Every structure is written in structure tokens, then in C-alpha cells.
Amino acid sequence: LDSLLQELQRLSEVQSLVMSSVLDASQEQVHGMQLKKKTMKNLILLTMSFLSLIIPSTTLSCYQCSTVTDPSCADDPFNPFNLSSSSTECPNDREYTLCRKINQKVRGKLEVFRMCGWEEWQNPCYKTVTNEYETKVCQCKGDLCNTADLGRQGSMVLVMVLVMGLLCHV
């Protein structure tokens, strides 16, 4: 009877080890699937962003954000992948012809806005200063041109191509 109990105890320990190994393998498999899903999601986002830069559109697209709702809108250099919503086609309630980046400091607090614009100024940037606020507005023409350094689209395309290449090899 003792040898039978010992054998049952040994079988119970083996069963526990097998179950533990199965659970570990399942957890690794789930983690691997989550990693693949995240990689695919990033690859799709990069592809869509890249395509939005190279495929012509009849509607102007600008980065549209505000530090009121997303603090990363103020980042310089601007990284559109940090935003909850990055490039957006301009609405069709007006004839939008340009993109803008506005830095506005009111009583010492800086707010940044990136948006579509329709009223073009003679200079690419202008500044307004009063006792209460200071505003710098920069405008540019072309899809997604309202990054921190206006006109750096070419380097952004290169970075996205490199990142896509790296993701494809992961």
C-alpha cells in the first residue's frame, strides 16, 4: 500500500510538472501572438502614413492637433506617431489651401496648434505680441507640411522607409 501511495504521489508531481510546462508554453505562445499583432498594427500604421505622403489627394491633409488635448502636439521635432490622431484631411467647409503651426503663449503658458488654414499671409511666419500673449504662426503649402521644421517631408519619408524595412525583418 505504501508503494502504491508513493507511486500516486510521484504521478501527481509529474502531472503538476506537465501542467506547469503546458501553461508556460501557452503563455509564451500568447505573448508571441500579442507581439506579432502589435508589430502588424505598427506596420499597417507606417504603411498608411507612408502612402498618405506619396499618393496624391484632391483634399489637403494637415497634422491637426492641440496641446489642450494632446501634449505631444508641442514636441519639436514633431513626431506624428506619438499622437492619438495624426494626419487628417482638411474639412470641406472652406477652401483650405495651407497647413499651419501656431505657438501661442498666454500668461506664460504655451499652447501649440497644428491645423488647416485658408487665409494665406505674405510671409511664411509672423508673430503677434501684446501684454497678455505672444503668438507665432507659420504656414506652409502641401500635404502634412506643418511639422516643427517646415519643409522636412523628405527626411520623414526616408525615416519611414527605414523603419518599415526594419519592421519587415523582425
Side-chain angles (χ1 to χ4, degrees), residues 23-24 41 90 108 126 131:
L23 284 175
D24 287 344
K41 185 178 176 183
C90 296
Y126 67 91
N131 291 339

Side-chain angles (χ1 to χ4, degrees), residues 35-46:
L35 186 60
K36 285 180 184 178
K37 185 177 178 182
K38 184 177 180 182
T39 301
M40 283 302 294
K41 185 178 176 183
N42 287 341
L43 186 59
I44 289 170
L45 176 66
L46 280 169

Side-chain angles (χ1 to χ4, degrees), residues 60-98:
L60 180 68
S61 291
C62 299
Y63 291 111
Q64 298 185 65
C65 62
S66 163
T67 52
V68 173
T69 56
D70 191 345
S72 67
C73 185
D75 290 351
D76 280 335
F78 181 63
N79 181 358
F81 298 109
N82 286 342
L83 296 173
S84 52
S85 63
S86 52
S87 67
T88 309
E89 284 189 355
C90 296
N92 49 7
D93 60 336
R94 297 180 187 261
E95 273 195 53
Y96 292 97
T97 58
L98 51 94

